[in-house]
Amino acid sequence: MIKQYLIVDDNVDDARQLVSMLDALGLYQCLGIVPTLEEAIEQIGSQILDMIFLDIRLEHSSGLTLLKTNTQLPPVIMVSAYPEYAVDSYEIGRAVDFLLKPFTLERLHMAISRALQRTRHPQHLIETDVAYLKMGRKVQRFEYSSIFYVEAFGIYSKVFTGDSIYTVNERISTLENLLPPRLFMRVHKSYLINTSKITSFDRSTIWLGRIQVPIGVSFRPRLEKLLGLFEGHDD
């Protein structure tokens, strides 16, 4: 499949050279070359990207600033002519590799392989106990422990916390794959629950405190061990 990428670099010649190298590798499509972080964030929010090539020294800012924000990012490959920034890039913990200009085609291919490995295992979208989900054009931070359940809402989803409801840009099926299965379980085509919030249940309903969530018939096999407690005790 064609992998799509964005270049954030205010040096047009360097950016074009990178595009030429990627064209030589094949199967990569450039969706844009932007010189500022503001334009980068706009591009990230408006299209699906498999990776970003991010220069550090931009005209009016540092590429490291993007790594420090709460913006949900695809794998980021830092690109710079200044090796002293490598340590800072890795300490922030959101860059998959650091390419020192000028770099070879072989070294570029190694960085891309690391980025695609991260894409297949998208931990970059979440922290250990936190998920960052898009709401419109902004990103909202959710601690897993604060989420009671998620409800499908067309192409969006509603995330219910103890005191608020948030509408996020992702479908419930996407959130089912994103949130850790050790804590979250799909119990209905329209509901994904935090299992640590379960206070009681029967064959058709799960209670999260005072909240009632229906159990879908097709999802009952997933709850076999739980519902097995009712075997032989049908009304």
Side-chain angles (χ1 to χ4, degrees), residues 1-4 22-23 25-29:
M1 294 179 62
I2 299 296
K3 301 299 182 182
Q4 302 180 132
L22 288 163
D23 286 346
L25 291 174
L27 300 179
Y28 301 99
Q29 179 183 9

Side-chain angles (χ1 to χ4, degrees), residues 54-145:
L54 177 61
D55 194 15
I56 292 181
R57 283 196 176 182
L58 303 173
E59 185 174 356
H60 301 296
S61 59
S62 167
L64 295 176
T65 301
L66 181 61
L67 297 185
K68 295 175 182 178
T69 68
N70 288 339
T71 303
Q72 183 173 305
L73 299 173
V76 177
I77 298 171
M78 304 304 296
V79 182
S80 178
Y82 305 93
E84 61 267 28
Y85 290 113
V87 173
D88 290 336
S89 297
Y90 289 125
E91 283 184 344
I92 294 171
R94 301 186 73 189
V96 298
D97 208 340
F98 183 97
L99 289 177
L100 181 64
K101 298 177 182 180
F103 45 85
T104 64
L105 189 62
E106 290 77 11
R107 182 64 182 86
L108 174 61
H109 188 269
M110 181 185 298
I112 293 172
S113 295
R114 290 174 177 172
L116 296 182
Q117 180 67 22
R118 182 71 67 89
T119 301
R120 286 191 289 272
H121 304 283
Q123 289 91 346
H124 64 286
L125 299 178
I126 58 178
E127 295 177 358
T128 304
D129 296 304
V130 176
Y132 291 92
L133 304 177
K134 288 193 68 178
M135 296 173 53
R137 298 188 68 85
K138 75 172 185 177
V139 176
Q140 179 70 35
R141 181 179 185 271
F142 293 91
E143 293 184 5
Y144 295 154
S145 59

Side-chain angles (χ1 to χ4, degrees), residues 36 63 73 128 162 188 231:
T36 68
L73 299 173
T128 304
H188 188 280
E231 270 194 295

Side-chain angles (χ1 to χ4, degrees), residues 124-173:
H124 64 286
L125 299 178
I126 58 178
E127 295 177 358
T128 304
D129 296 304
V130 176
Y132 291 92
L133 304 177
K134 288 193 68 178
M135 296 173 53
R137 298 188 68 85
K138 75 172 185 177
V139 176
Q140 179 70 35
R141 181 179 185 271
F142 293 91
E143 293 184 5
Y144 295 154
S145 59
S146 72
I147 300 173
F148 278 71
Y149 69 99
V150 177
E151 182 180 359
F153 188 57
I155 62 172
Y156 304 101
S157 297
K158 292 182 179 180
V159 177
F160 291 76
T161 64
D163 54 7
S164 301
I165 303 172
Y166 302 86
T167 300
V168 301
N169 295 9
E170 305 292 352
R171 293 179 182 271
I172 194 170
S173 56

